Each structure stands twice: as C-alpha cells, then as structure tokens.
Amino acid sequence: MALVAGVDSSTQSCKVVVRDAATGALVRSGRAAHPDGTEVHPRHWWTALEEAVEQAGGLDDVAAVAVGGQQHGMVALDADGEVVRPALLWNDTRSASAAADLVAELGDGDVERGAAAWATATGSVPVASITATKLRWLRDAEPENAARVAAVALPHDWLTWCLAGHGTAPAGSRDLTALVTDRSDASGTGYWSPTQEAYRPDLLRLALGRDDVVLPRVAGPSETAAVVERPGGRLLVGPGAGDNAAAALGLGMRPGDVTISIGTSGVVSAVASAPTTDASGLVTGFADATGVYLPLVCTLNASRVLDAAARMLGVDHAGLSDLALAAPAGADGLVLVPYLEGERTPNKPDATGSLHGLRLSTTTPGHLARAAVEGMLCALADGLDALRAQGVPVERVRLIGGGARSEAVRRIAPAVLGLDVVVPEPGEYVADGAARQAAWVLAAADDASAAAPDWAASGEETFTAPAATHVREQYARARELTLDRRDGDV
Ligand SMILES: Nc1ncnc2c1ncn2[C@@H]1O[C@H](COP(=O)(O)OP(=O)(O)O)[C@@H](O)[C@H]1O
Ligand SMILES: O=C(CO)[C@@H](O)[C@H](O)COP(=O)(O)O
C-alpha cells in the first residue's frame, strides 16, 4: 500500500494527514500550533510542520507529499536564501494604503479605471491581503530590507522548498531557482495572470520597484516539484496549493458547488470553468489546483468572532452554541457587525466591530451569542451574493473549517444563507486536498495522463431552515455603521 501525505499550514496551526494513495483512507494524522499575530517568521511554520509530521508518524514510509497553505503571505528571501524579515500574513492590514496606491497608479490616478485594470490583469483588485501590496509596503517602509530581497515566495512555496531540502540546506548553498509554486497560490500574489497563466513582471515592478527577483516556478497540477532521495526510497514532493484550492481538491468540488470555510478567514468559494474579473473587488478571481478557476470572497473575521464572543461571555464553544440556539432568530434586533480585525471584503481595513440595537431586554448572553453567530454568517451571505452577481452558479453549499464544528453555526447558517447547507463530517479538508494532490503526483510520475485519484467522499449531514430574511435585512441596515480604528490603536 503506497502512502501519501498532505499538509495544511494554515493561519493558526499545521495539520498533517497520511492517507492510502489508492483509497484515500486515513492512516495517521498530526497537528501543531502556529504563533499568534499577523507577522510570523516562517521558521515557526517549519517547526510546526516537523512537529505535526512527527505526530503523524513521520514520512519515512510515505511516497509523496504536498503542502496546502494560507495564501498571500510575503516570504522575502535574500541571495543566501535567508528570510529577510518575518512574513506579513494575509490578515495583516498595514499595506492597506499601499493597496490603494497601487490601484490608483494602474489607473493613472483614476481609481475605478485602476480597479478594472487590475481585475483584468490578475483577476483581483488588490487589497491589503494581496502579496503585491506587501511588497509595496516593504519598498516604502523598509527600503533596506527591500533592497536585500532576491526571491519572493508564499508560505506553501517556502515549505515545499524546505521539504525538498533546499530551505533547510546550509545558508549560501540554497538554490533560489528551485522554488516552486502552483497556479492557485500564484493567482493570489497580484503579479500572476490567470488568463495568461504567466507572471506579470510589470506589476511586480510597480509593487516592489524592480523585477530582478526570483519568483517560484509555477508547476502544473500533478507535476513533481522535487524528488528527495532517501535510504528507504524516494519521496516525491508535489507543487502544493493555496489552502482554499487544496480544500476544493479535498472536497472534489465541481461547478455548482460552493464551499464556505469558517476558519480564521471566512471564505466563500466556487469552482468555475472560466476566470472572473470583478472590478468591484468583492470577488477575487483566483485559479484552482486542477487547471480551472476558484473565484472566492474572503473575510478577515470568521472563527475568531466566535472565539471572541465565547471569551466575552466566559463560556466555551459548546456554551456559546447553546446560548445562541436558545435565543430568538434575529436576537430581537441586536446586530453584531464583526469587523474585529478590520475587514477585507468589503474593503474596510480600518473598520472596527460594533453592536447595534441594544435595549435592556437584549443585554443577555444569549442575545450576544446569537448576534455574533448571525453577524459572522451575514458577512458570508453577502459574499455568496457577490459570487452569484459574477454569474457563479450556486447549487450546493458545503460548510467546513473549525467554525463549522459549532452546532449553532450549522443550524443558523441555512436560515441566514437562505438555502440548505451540507456539512461534511469534521475533517482536515485542506490537508486532504494536499494529500490527494500528492497521490495524483505519484500516479502521474508513472503515467503523465493520470487523473486525480477518485477517493470516496466523507459522510455529510444536511441542515435545513426557513430563510430568516429579517436577519439579513437588519444586518444590511447596520453594516455601514462602524467606527474606524485610530492611528496607534492595536
Ligand atoms: N466547536 C467550535 N465552535 C466554534 N469554533 C470552533 C470550534 N472548534 C474550533 N473552532 C475555531 O476554529 C478555528 C480553527 O479552525 P481552522 O479551520 O483550523 O482555522 P485556520 O485554518 O484559519 O487555522 C479556531 O478559531 C477555533 O477556535
Ligand atoms: O487570504 C485568504 C484567501 O484569499 C485566506 O483564506 C488565507 O488563505 C488563510 O486561510 P485560513 O488559515 O483562515 O484557512
């Protein structure tokens, strides 16, 4: 029995699954936490990956491995392959004004024209999450660090490079040209075009001020990115993927399927056969990990809204869920706008969260719990509307991610979204997608025309509820009523 491994290096943790390449049966798994914060030195991801791999019984008997990872993070390397500074993550908003500058500059000062030009060029309008804006921030805020940059990678590219032995080689002997990425993660950089399937050096130059840096080679979906020779046999390393594309592969998404992931980010994504170019910036037109496209809407505030509400109420997740389910739909008019970390979609990097509609009768733990769950889900429902507005078909919605473990989320989601919600059994779908890619790479090494293996789908449960339109309506009245954080606020 050949074994394959998949890694999910996500915002909060690293998860590893080891599966049977032929059937997809889970054999072993492991996980390790990442440090908090929106700026993290990549060595912490490597340490966590090593710990999670060890917990999963190691890779000695594994034939192929691939990494899915949080998207967009800026991993800047110098000529020796050393990390120049801690990576700015997708949820770091300090490059918000750099994003605004880049949009205006591509439109020669006309923001609308600039947004349309970016959407046409890269499928997405830059916001602070996009890697290109972080490079612009580096150019302006840390010119000495910017001058040292010899290569720019994403979290999953860097980990792939480490797994292949390059990133862990002695400084000075690290081969920057061995960096590999895939089209799904490249499409979130802001300097790769999903329609041309190629980097845009002009946009990299616009962002960083130069384009003489190494960018990871964009490997095909089932291409071997590296071969590691070991005493017990070789290990193939796949190209990996952005975490959302890996989840799509893990779930076997097809056109018509929509996945809502409630992790640190809230993501509404769909597989599409044609690229999208939403100049409003709500939908990012990413590529997927199989050769088609993955339009998605991503919010900055999802599972941590539930974490924060539970903390405020002094309960655990189960307690928060019980409170929310015992309260009435719409929380008697109490609305929580969940912009706790600023927001990316809509693009409000400086916004803060807010509570509206407080009355004496709604100052109860149950009302607050319900408002937190509903507010977080309403932001995702807005995302689903934005996908529909791009002509993306919505036939079946699946809910995954840590937040989908909440009973309240599962039961309230169909009411807020206005359609049935399918919840696959709890699992690590990003890591599973990476493992499926690894199995595909293994098969393609013998037969280049091999398709991704057909693995049995996990069990799932469907949740149904009448549409609670008043919840969306009251949220729509409240969502613009937020305060911006002031300079110096953390
Ligand atoms: N039962 C639960 N109810 C609500 N939230 C949960 C539950 N279990 C885990 N979470 C939250 O889910 C998040 C982790 O989910 P995950 O999808 O792994 O996130 P990420 O991929 O961003 O690291 C954490 O914020 C955690 O507190
Ligand atoms: O920025 C995006 C997608 O564009 C996020 O989805 C990140 O990829 C982080 O994912 P999680 O760690 O929250 O799953």
Side-chain angles (χ1 to χ4, degrees), residues 10-12 69-72 90 129 243-244 261 263-265 267 284 286 296 298 344:
S10 71
T11 312
Q12 296 191 47
Q70 54 172 310
Q71 296 191 249
H72 316 302
W90 64 278
S129 294
D243 55 1
N244 297 298
S261 168
T264 315
S265 60
V267 172
T284 49
F286 297 156
L296 67 78
C298 179
R344 160 175 169 180

Short mmCIF file of all heavy atoms in Angstrom, two decimals, residues 10-12 69-72 90 129 243-244 261 263-265 267 284 286 296 298 344, ligand 2:
data_model
loop_
_atom_site.label_atom_id
_atom_site.label_comp_id
_atom_site.label_asym_id
_atom_site.label_seq_id
_atom_site.Cartn_x
_atom_site.Cartn_y
_atom_site.Cartn_z
N SER A 10 -1.92 26.37 7.99
CA SER A 10 -2.94 27.43 7.97
C SER A 10 -2.53 28.54 8.93
O SER A 10 -1.45 28.52 9.51
CB SER A 10 -4.31 26.86 8.33
OG SER A 10 -4.34 26.53 9.70
N THR A 11 -3.41 29.50 9.12
CA THR A 11 -3.06 30.65 9.94
C THR A 11 -2.75 30.22 11.38
O THR A 11 -1.73 30.62 11.94
CB THR A 11 -4.22 31.66 9.95
OG1 THR A 11 -4.63 31.86 8.60
CG2 THR A 11 -3.77 32.99 10.55
N GLN A 12 -3.60 29.39 11.95
CA GLN A 12 -3.46 29.09 13.37
C GLN A 12 -2.67 27.82 13.68
O GLN A 12 -2.22 27.64 14.80
CB GLN A 12 -4.83 29.00 14.02
CG GLN A 12 -5.59 30.33 13.99
CD GLN A 12 -6.84 30.31 14.86
OE1 GLN A 12 -6.80 29.88 16.01
NE2 GLN A 12 -7.95 30.78 14.33
N GLY A 69 -1.39 25.76 1.90
CA GLY A 69 -1.03 26.75 2.91
C GLY A 69 -1.86 28.01 2.82
O GLY A 69 -2.47 28.30 1.78
N GLN A 70 -1.86 28.74 3.92
CA GLN A 70 -2.51 30.06 3.93
C GLN A 70 -1.95 30.87 2.76
O GLN A 70 -0.76 30.84 2.48
CB GLN A 70 -2.24 30.76 5.26
CG GLN A 70 -0.77 30.87 5.63
CD GLN A 70 -0.53 31.75 6.85
OE1 GLN A 70 -1.03 32.86 6.91
NE2 GLN A 70 0.22 31.25 7.81
N GLN A 71 -2.83 31.59 2.08
CA GLN A 71 -2.42 32.30 0.88
C GLN A 71 -1.77 33.65 1.20
O GLN A 71 -1.91 34.18 2.30
CB GLN A 71 -3.64 32.53 -0.01
CG GLN A 71 -4.27 31.24 -0.52
CD GLN A 71 -5.31 31.52 -1.59
OE1 GLN A 71 -6.48 31.33 -1.38
NE2 GLN A 71 -4.87 31.99 -2.75
N HIS A 72 -1.11 34.19 0.20
CA HIS A 72 -0.69 35.61 0.10
C HIS A 72 0.49 36.04 0.96
O HIS A 72 1.07 37.09 0.68
CB HIS A 72 -1.86 36.57 0.42
CG HIS A 72 -3.15 36.21 -0.20
ND1 HIS A 72 -3.32 36.08 -1.56
CD2 HIS A 72 -4.37 35.95 0.35
CE1 HIS A 72 -4.59 35.75 -1.81
NE2 HIS A 72 -5.24 35.66 -0.67
N TRP A 90 -1.67 37.19 5.29
CA TRP A 90 -2.84 37.63 4.52
C TRP A 90 -3.74 38.56 5.34
O TRP A 90 -4.43 39.41 4.78
CB TRP A 90 -3.64 36.40 4.07
CG TRP A 90 -4.21 35.63 5.25
CD1 TRP A 90 -3.55 34.72 6.02
CD2 TRP A 90 -5.50 35.77 5.82
NE1 TRP A 90 -4.36 34.28 7.03
CE2 TRP A 90 -5.56 34.89 6.94
CE3 TRP A 90 -6.63 36.52 5.49
CZ2 TRP A 90 -6.70 34.78 7.73
CZ3 TRP A 90 -7.76 36.41 6.29
CH2 TRP A 90 -7.79 35.54 7.39
N SER A 129 -4.49 42.23 1.74
CA SER A 129 -4.11 40.81 1.81
C SER A 129 -3.17 40.38 0.69
O SER A 129 -2.39 39.43 0.86
CB SER A 129 -5.37 39.93 1.71
OG SER A 129 -6.19 40.13 2.82
N ASP A 243 -4.52 27.27 0.33
CA ASP A 243 -5.38 26.40 1.16
C ASP A 243 -6.79 26.25 0.61
O ASP A 243 -7.38 25.16 0.68
CB ASP A 243 -5.39 26.86 2.63
CG ASP A 243 -5.78 28.30 2.84
OD1 ASP A 243 -6.08 29.02 1.87
OD2 ASP A 243 -5.80 28.73 4.01
N ASN A 244 -7.34 27.30 0.04
CA ASN A 244 -8.72 27.19 -0.45
C ASN A 244 -8.81 26.28 -1.67
O ASN A 244 -9.76 25.51 -1.81
CB ASN A 244 -9.28 28.58 -0.73
CG ASN A 244 -9.34 29.40 0.56
OD1 ASN A 244 -10.04 29.03 1.50
ND2 ASN A 244 -8.55 30.46 0.63
N SER A 261 -15.89 28.24 4.10
CA SER A 261 -14.94 27.80 5.11
C SER A 261 -14.93 28.82 6.24
O SER A 261 -14.71 30.01 6.01
CB SER A 261 -13.55 27.67 4.50
OG SER A 261 -12.58 27.53 5.52
N GLY A 263 -12.77 29.42 8.99
CA GLY A 263 -11.51 29.31 9.73
C GLY A 263 -11.20 30.70 10.24
O GLY A 263 -12.12 31.49 10.48
N THR A 264 -9.89 31.01 10.39
CA THR A 264 -9.55 32.38 10.73
C THR A 264 -10.20 33.30 9.70
O THR A 264 -10.83 34.30 10.02
CB THR A 264 -8.02 32.57 10.72
OG1 THR A 264 -7.42 31.48 11.40
CG2 THR A 264 -7.63 33.88 11.37
N SER A 265 -10.04 32.92 8.42
CA SER A 265 -10.75 33.66 7.36
C SER A 265 -12.11 33.02 7.14
O SER A 265 -12.29 31.82 7.37
CB SER A 265 -9.94 33.60 6.06
OG SER A 265 -9.76 32.26 5.64
N VAL A 267 -14.38 32.13 4.05
CA VAL A 267 -14.18 32.06 2.59
C VAL A 267 -15.41 31.42 1.94
O VAL A 267 -15.87 30.37 2.36
CB VAL A 267 -12.93 31.23 2.25
CG1 VAL A 267 -12.83 30.99 0.75
CG2 VAL A 267 -11.67 31.94 2.74
N THR A 284 -12.50 37.68 -5.70
CA THR A 284 -11.14 37.57 -6.23
C THR A 284 -11.12 36.41 -7.23
O THR A 284 -11.65 35.33 -6.95
CB THR A 284 -10.12 37.29 -5.11
OG1 THR A 284 -10.60 36.22 -4.32
CG2 THR A 284 -9.95 38.51 -4.24
N PHE A 286 -9.29 33.89 -8.42
CA PHE A 286 -8.13 33.02 -8.31
C PHE A 286 -8.26 31.82 -9.24
O PHE A 286 -9.34 31.49 -9.73
CB PHE A 286 -7.96 32.53 -6.87
CG PHE A 286 -7.68 33.64 -5.88
CD1 PHE A 286 -7.98 33.49 -4.53
CD2 PHE A 286 -7.12 34.84 -6.28
CE1 PHE A 286 -7.73 34.50 -3.62
CE2 PHE A 286 -6.85 35.86 -5.38
CZ PHE A 286 -7.17 35.69 -4.04
N LEU A 296 -13.45 33.53 -5.36
CA LEU A 296 -13.81 33.46 -3.94
C LEU A 296 -13.93 34.83 -3.30
O LEU A 296 -13.38 35.82 -3.78
CB LEU A 296 -12.83 32.55 -3.17
CG LEU A 296 -11.37 32.92 -2.96
CD1 LEU A 296 -11.19 33.95 -1.86
CD2 LEU A 296 -10.59 31.66 -2.59
N CYS A 298 -13.36 36.51 0.48
CA CYS A 298 -12.68 36.17 1.73
C CYS A 298 -12.85 37.30 2.74
O CYS A 298 -12.57 38.46 2.44
CB CYS A 298 -11.20 35.95 1.45
SG CYS A 298 -10.24 35.56 2.93
N ARG A 344 -11.67 42.86 5.00
CA ARG A 344 -11.10 42.77 3.65
C ARG A 344 -12.20 42.80 2.60
O ARG A 344 -12.04 43.39 1.55
CB ARG A 344 -10.31 41.46 3.57
CG ARG A 344 -10.06 40.94 2.18
CD ARG A 344 -9.17 39.73 2.26
NE ARG A 344 -9.08 39.03 0.99
CZ ARG A 344 -8.36 37.94 0.81
NH1 ARG A 344 -7.67 37.44 1.81
NH2 ARG A 344 -8.31 37.34 -0.36
O1 LIG B 2 -6.45 35.02 2.32
C1 LIG B 2 -7.13 34.02 2.20
C2 LIG B 2 -7.76 33.67 0.92
O2 LIG B 2 -7.62 34.65 -0.05
C3 LIG B 2 -7.30 33.12 3.40
O3 LIG B 2 -8.24 32.12 3.17
C4 LIG B 2 -5.98 32.52 3.79
O4 LIG B 2 -5.61 31.59 2.80
C5 LIG B 2 -5.99 31.96 5.20
O5 LIG B 2 -6.81 30.86 5.39
P1 LIG B 2 -7.19 30.22 6.81
O6 LIG B 2 -5.92 29.99 7.55
O7 LIG B 2 -8.10 31.15 7.51
O8 LIG B 2 -7.87 28.92 6.47
#
